[in-house]
Amino acid sequence: MTWLTWRQFRASALAGLAGLTLLAAYLVHLGLAVRRDHDAYLSRCHSGGDCGRALAQFLGEYQNTLLYLAGLLALVPAALGMFWGAPLVARELEAGTHRLVWNQSVTRTRWFTVKLLVVGLAAMAVAGLASALLTWAASPVDRLAGDRFSTIVFGARNLAPVAYAAFAFSLGTVIGLLVRRTLPAMALTAVAFAIVQFVLPNVVRPHLMPPVTVSRPMTAAAINEARGLGSITGAPVVKGLSVPDAWVSDVSELLTADGRPLATDRFDRCFQDPPATGATGTFGDAAVCLGGLDLHVVLSYQPNHRYWMFQFLESGIYLTLSGLLAGFGRWQVRRRVT
């Protein structure tokens, strides 16, 4: 049964190996270049140069490239689910070839289990190798940038891509088992996986561990550190506040000294028509106006030292879902498929 599964899967496996080889060659080249430039950056700092400017140049040279690669790696589990998982059983059911195997000495549950394990482990290996190479190539940049919790970066490093691949493959296999047609199963797998990948990082991940919560005064200087003011709805919010060595998961609206949200009309007056003071900074007079209102925000954040705990917790969720899907698939094959 294992040999038969390999014979059916070998074309897809060779295509995946070819793609992984090309990606590996590029990532090794990129990793060596990153380390060469990282050493140059350190030498400039140690020799008394402008460390801040050197750091900005080093990060600016590689951050966008690594972000694109992280986005590409995020597509790998989805592709494995679509092209390896969805056709795994759906193609057999669609063509009726499953009946031939079941009329031999192989039980239907063994047939399903072997196919799931052989191809599923291969999918996890592909995602794991790609993740390991990207993690190695990007490690000097990640250490200096300190943004490992960002949605795209977190999902493209270390353990998470392996768990994503296991889930995407199991999801595609079960959808193919239920739909029994290859192309619809591939499309549904892509949609379902995209929904889960949006919900878990944005809704579930911030609550995997209780955040640290602090109150931060919003002086003019603090407001000028933000990346944005206001929102589409006109709410009195400050966007893009940061905490050193931490992932900010939530920021409240601007609050007055008694803890109430700042009135929208007062925010609009400062934001749209502040008194002229000649102040400089990102938000100039608006920051001075808001800074004089004795405002604060409540920040919730996760310290960077919790990164590996989040990797384990989120990977555990995806692997648990994969196991549940596999168990459901075995039950479906044994009880429902004819």
Side-chain angles (χ1 to χ4, degrees):
M1 186 60 213
T2 304
W3 174 246
L4 174 63
T5 301
W6 164 247
R7 288 286 298 257
Q8 294 177 317
F9 173 62
R10 61 184 176 181
S12 298
L14 291 174
L17 181 61
L20 184 61
T21 302
L22 293 175
L23 180 63
Y26 176 73
L27 288 175
V28 168
H29 169 76
L30 178 66
L32 294 175
V34 167
R35 280 155 178 76
R36 182 181 63 247
D37 290 346
H38 180 256
D39 292 341
Y41 152 72
L42 290 178
S43 66
R44 288 174 62 182
C45 288
H46 293 159
S47 62
D50 186 351
C51 288
R53 184 176 180 183
L55 172 61
Q57 289 177 344
F58 173 66
L59 294 179
E61 186 170 355
Y62 290 107
Q63 270 190 312
N64 285 339
T65 299
L66 291 171
L67 191 62
Y68 295 144
L69 287 170
L72 176 65
L73 185 57
L75 298 177
V76 170
L80 293 171
M82 289 174 61
F83 295 101
W84 287 11
L88 187 72
V89 177
R91 183 174 49 209
E92 301 264 17
L93 297 177
E94 194 172 14
T97 53
H98 63 291
R99 298 189 185 92
L100 175 64
V101 180
W102 292 353
N103 283 325
Q104 309 302 315
S105 60
V106 179
T107 63
R108 60 179 67 191
T109 52
R110 183 186 173 196
W111 170 81
F112 178 79
T113 302
V114 171
K115 291 175 76 70
L116 192 71
L117 286 176
V118 170
V119 186
L121 290 175
M124 293 171 69
V126 168
L129 287 171
S131 171
L133 287 166
L134 181 56
T135 301
W136 170 80
S139 58
V141 176
D142 288 345
R143 284 196 299 269
L144 294 173
D147 64 346
R148 294 193 300 172
F149 268 110
S150 67
T151 301
I152 297 178
V153 173
F154 183 91
R157 305 285 196 272
N158 298 302
L159 303 176
V162 180
Y164 296 168
F167 172 72
F169 175 77
S170 300
L171 179 67
T173 301
V174 170
I175 289 177
L177 178 60
L178 296 175
V179 175
R180 301 191 180 202
R181 296 183 62 98
T182 302
L183 291 179
M186 293 171 68
L188 288 173
T189 299
V191 172
F193 184 70
I195 292 172
V196 174
Q197 283 291 79
F198 175 81
V199 171
L200 264 166
N202 292 286
V203 178
V204 177
R205 185 185 298 164
H207 305 288
L208 289 178
M209 294 184 69
V212 178
T213 302
V214 296
S215 176
R216 181 171 178 180
M218 283 291 98
T219 62
I223 290 172
N224 279 323
E225 292 176 6
R227 291 200 299 265
L229 277 176
S231 67
I232 297 176
T233 61
V237 296
V238 180
K239 301 176 182 176
L241 293 176
S242 62
V243 174
D245 298 321
W247 164 45
V248 177
S249 56
D250 187 58
V251 181
S252 70
E253 293 185 358
L254 288 167
L255 304 174
T256 58
D258 59 1
R260 297 180 181 179
L262 177 65
T264 304
D265 57 342
R266 296 185 69 187
F267 175 78
D268 289 341
R269 280 198 299 270
C270 284
F271 183 51
Q272 298 175 4
D273 189 24
T277 62
T280 58
T282 305
F283 300 105
D285 294 333
V288 173
C289 180
L290 290 169
L293 299 179
D294 192 20
L295 302 173
H296 68 279
V297 295
V298 176
L299 282 167
S300 297
Y301 67 91
Q302 299 288 352
N304 277 348
H305 65 76
R306 295 181 177 180
Y307 171 80
W308 277 107
M309 182 58 68
F310 272 79
Q311 280 274 328
F312 285 122
L313 289 172
E314 187 163 317
S315 298
I317 291 173
Y318 277 94
L319 291 175
T320 300
L321 292 174
S322 303
L324 293 173
L325 286 168
F328 173 76
R330 279 176 56 90
W331 175 83
Q332 185 75 10
V333 164
R334 185 172 65 251
R335 298 293 185 187
R336 299 294 182 182
V337 177
T338 59

